[in-house]
Amino acid sequence: MDRQSDILLESGTNELGVMEFTIGGEVFGINVAKVLEIMMVCPIVPMQKAQKDIEGIFKSRDMLLTVIDLASYLGLPPSKNPGRDIFIITRFNNANFAFHVHSVVGIDRISWTEIKKPDRIIYGGEDGVATGIAEYNGRLITILDFEKIVSEISPEMGIQYEDLEQLGVRHRSNKPLLIAEDSTLLSKMIVESLRRAGYENLTKVDNGQEAWDFLQEVKNSQDPLENHVCCVVTDIEMPQMDGHHLTKLIKEDPILKSLPVILFSSLITEEMKIKGEQLGADAQISKPEIANLVSLIDSFLMKQ
């Protein structure tokens, strides 16, 4: 995984390291920042009454891992050579999982500008599981929404509205927030959570490029910045422009740099926090900690 480390150490390049893998002859991708290691399949212990896409559990080093069968989840045919299949061991949302795939092709380095948002009609809208489509060396690579897969199989891993109750009595606020999130499901849940928390003036965009375009329009309007946006909440993984590059652009802009930027991502690790700090992010918090996100927004807006 040396290649992964090289990619992670770079800051604000708007590039993605994609690990290509196959299932049923189709090519898919995962951000290498989510990958801890890959290994050959090994014996697992079935779990009684588990969801049909969960094969079971096994122990790797000191980790007890749940194995998710991606072929089953995606409705694709099983492997023709199961003994040569691969487990991709991942970490995101502060949790570890093993995803059962049929082969690993390798790691590619792709600009986010080359990754397109999938057509919602073709790829299922809110029910779709693709976050991006990349064309690389003549191949189409479907970037899967692993957070959505896990939240569907294990709902407790997703955003929990009831966590907002720990914040106590809330008051309505008209201070404008800018939300950049590409996942249809997660963006809907984040917006709903913020509205439940009292924030009513929300601008939602699908990626960093749209967020940057919006901020440029605000800047060029000559209106006071705070009339349009007081805080930016952004995912990291997004087509066209990722959250790290967006943060870099905001913090390098003489007018926009005063905006608080919160990175709200499944990828927040100690290593990724260093990267975010280098780029000027004001706060970084892991999904799905929605109550902590609201508290951070509260604290930044109280200072304004």
Side-chain angles (χ1 to χ4, degrees):
M1 298 301 295
D2 292 340
R3 179 65 168 156
Q4 173 186 342
S5 300
D6 291 343
I7 293 170
L8 291 181
L9 289 172
E10 296 171 2
S11 300
T13 61
N14 204 38
E15 292 178 309
L16 170 69
V18 175
M19 176 175 286
E20 279 189 67
F21 59 90
T22 66
I23 302 171
E26 297 188 26
V27 181
F28 299 93
I30 180 173
N31 188 339
V32 295
K34 291 186 170 82
V35 179
L36 292 178
E37 64 176 310
I38 59 174
M39 59 182 291
M40 299 297 295
V41 292
C42 62
I44 59 176
V45 178
M47 298 173 62
Q48 293 184 355
K49 297 185 178 181
Q51 210 255 27
K52 70 177 182 64
D53 302 320
I54 295 179
E55 289 188 48
I57 58 175
F58 77 101
K59 190 169 185 180
S60 175
R61 299 174 187 173
D62 294 327
M63 294 185 293
L64 189 64
L65 296 164
T66 298
V67 181
I68 297 174
D69 184 350
L70 280 183
S72 172
Y73 176 86
L74 296 170
L76 293 172
S79 174
K80 295 179 179 179
N81 298 292
R84 299 178 63 83
D85 286 1
I86 299 290
F87 286 161
I88 299 178
I89 313 302
T90 66
R91 181 165 182 81
F92 55 89
N93 282 0
N94 288 325
N96 299 322
F97 291 90
F99 290 91
H100 183 169
V101 304
H102 297 169
S103 71
V104 168
V105 179
I107 295 176
D108 307 314
R109 185 170 179 149
I110 304 173
S111 170
W112 277 110
T113 61
E114 300 299 320
I115 300 176
K116 309 302 181 187
K117 182 75 175 177
D119 185 285
R120 291 183 179 178
I121 296 176
I122 298 173
Y123 285 90
E126 287 187 22
D127 294 326
V129 74
T131 60
I133 306 295
E135 184 173 359
Y136 184 80
N137 287 345
R139 300 189 302 277
L140 286 179
I141 307 169
T142 302
I143 312 297
L144 293 178
D145 188 343
F146 284 88
E147 288 85 350
K148 183 176 188 294
I149 293 170
V150 167
S151 65
E152 286 185 354
I153 294 174
S154 301
E156 68 277 6
M157 297 297 298
I159 288 174
Q160 305 295 315
Y161 295 131
E162 55 267 27
D163 289 349
L164 298 171
E165 296 176 3
Q166 67 187 12
L167 300 175
V169 177
R170 303 286 303 173
H171 301 288
R172 312 314 291 175
S173 171
N174 199 44
K175 288 194 173 183
L177 307 178
L178 175 60
I179 316 297
E181 168 62 63
D182 68 314
S183 170
T184 303
L185 175 66
L186 284 176
S187 63
K188 183 178 180 180
M189 297 181 76
I190 291 169
V191 167
E192 174 63 20
S193 296
L194 292 176
R195 284 181 175 152
R196 291 190 184 198
Y199 289 106
E200 299 176 333
N201 191 353
L202 306 176
T203 297
K204 163 65 184 61
V205 296
D206 287 339
N207 57 62
Q209 185 62 57
E210 291 182 8
W212 182 244
D213 292 343
F214 173 81
L215 291 172
Q216 292 304 294
E217 289 178 11
V218 169
K219 192 170 70 168
N220 294 334
S221 72
Q222 306 302 314
D223 280 351
L225 185 62
E226 60 270 19
N227 287 354
H228 300 273
V229 57
C230 288
C231 182
V232 178
V233 178
T234 178
D235 190 13
I236 292 177
E237 293 182 281
M238 295 180 290
Q240 299 300 298
M241 183 188 294
D242 68 18
H244 278 151
H245 194 62
L246 174 64
T247 302
K248 183 175 185 286
L249 292 177
I250 291 172
K251 294 306 181 179
E252 288 179 346
D253 187 285
I255 295 175
L256 301 175
K257 65 181 182 182
S258 61
L259 275 175
V261 176
I262 302 174
L263 294 174
F264 186 50
S265 170
S266 64
L267 294 178
I268 302 301
T269 61
E270 290 306 312
E271 188 172 14
M272 293 296 271
K273 280 184 178 179
I274 294 173
K275 183 173 182 177
E277 290 169 358
Q278 291 172 342
L279 297 169
D282 297 276
Q284 303 176 74
I285 186 168
S286 178
K287 294 174 183 174
E289 298 175 19
I290 195 67
N292 288 339
L293 173 64
V294 171
S295 295
L296 278 172
I297 295 171
D298 291 347
S299 65
F300 284 124
L301 296 190
M302 285 177 61
K303 300 174 184 177
Q304 296 179 2

